Amino acid sequence: MTTILSGLEKKDAKELAKDLNHLLANFQVYYQNLRGLHWNIKGKSFFELHLKFEELYTDAQEKIDLIAERILTLQGMPLHTFEDYVKISKVPVGSNISKDTDAVKLVVKSLSELLKIERELLNVSDKADDEGTNSMMSDFISEQEKILWMMNAWLG
Ligand SMILES: [Fe+2]
């Protein structure tokens, strides 16, 4: 059995890094969507949503760095070009959205996609005994489920 420095099996680490790159690409699209929503939102909910989207993209930015550094810890290389992100992403690219309900719906849709990927990842990391990725995914999932609930509640 060949292992990486941390003791994880090399082939598991490789698969996990690939799956984490998939998550990274989706997160980057989610992040850029949030920037667009923060900038372009219009209407009576402007002040509330402008701030909320800033809070969400700041959180996404931190998570993006954690994912990329987890990939490096697993001895992989994080994807870093927009070209790769858009090619891989399941999170839809939102453009020219300024209506409040359309904006929140995009966040809901994006979070649902991210949660799906994170649950699949959790399955793989669990089988590989990769506690580092496990705990990261558990934290992401519980935090994002809560945001998803609140965003969905906002939609009524
Ligand atoms: Fe701003």
Side-chain angles (χ1 to χ4, degrees):
M1 181 174 84
T2 331
T3 63
I4 61 167
L5 284 175
S6 66
L8 285 171
E9 263 192 66
K10 207 167 189 170
K11 70 166 182 36
D12 289 342
K14 203 173 167 191
E15 188 186 355
L16 282 156
K18 185 171 168 271
D19 292 348
L20 282 163
N21 258 326
H22 183 219
L23 181 63
L24 178 64
N26 279 271
F27 247 101
Q28 291 281 31
V29 172
Y30 171 61
Y31 171 82
Q32 197 55 36
N33 280 345
L34 289 165
R35 298 295 313 216
L37 299 177
H38 169 77
W39 292 328
N40 298 318
I41 192 74
K42 286 190 170 72
K44 299 283 181 268
S45 306
F46 174 84
F47 292 108
E48 173 197 339
L49 289 181
H50 178 72
L51 278 179
K52 178 52 74 180
F53 296 142
E54 181 171 353
E55 182 191 313
L56 293 181
Y57 74 61
T58 304
D59 178 63
Q61 193 180 29
E62 282 167 17
K63 287 185 165 65
I64 283 164
D65 204 50
L66 288 172
I67 299 165
E69 289 175 358
R70 185 73 208 155
I71 293 167
L72 289 158
T73 305
L74 292 166
Q75 294 179 214
M77 186 189 272
L79 295 174
H80 49 273
T81 64
F82 282 115
E83 199 186 8
D84 281 335
Y85 294 153
V86 173
K87 219 187 289 169
I88 293 177
S89 183
K90 294 249 169 62
V91 166
V93 173
S95 66
N96 304 326
I97 296 174
S98 45
K99 194 170 178 276
D100 54 5
T101 48
D102 291 344
V104 175
K105 275 181 191 162
L106 178 64
V107 174
V108 167
K109 172 83 183 133
S110 305
L111 284 171
S112 300
E113 288 298 338
L114 291 174
L115 280 162
K116 253 187 255 171
I117 298 164
E118 286 158 7
R119 274 206 197 85
E120 284 164 18
L121 244 163
L122 195 57
N123 248 322
V124 180
S125 58
D126 200 34
K127 277 182 202 134
D129 288 328
D130 177 6
E131 186 50 35
T133 305
N134 259 347
S135 65
M136 186 186 287
M137 287 309 106
S138 303
D139 290 348
F140 283 17
I141 289 169
S142 54
E143 286 172 35
Q144 286 167 352
E145 279 176 340
K146 193 171 175 187
I147 301 168
L148 186 60
W149 153 58
M150 289 193 269
M151 287 287 148
N152 214 35
W154 187 95
L155 285 169

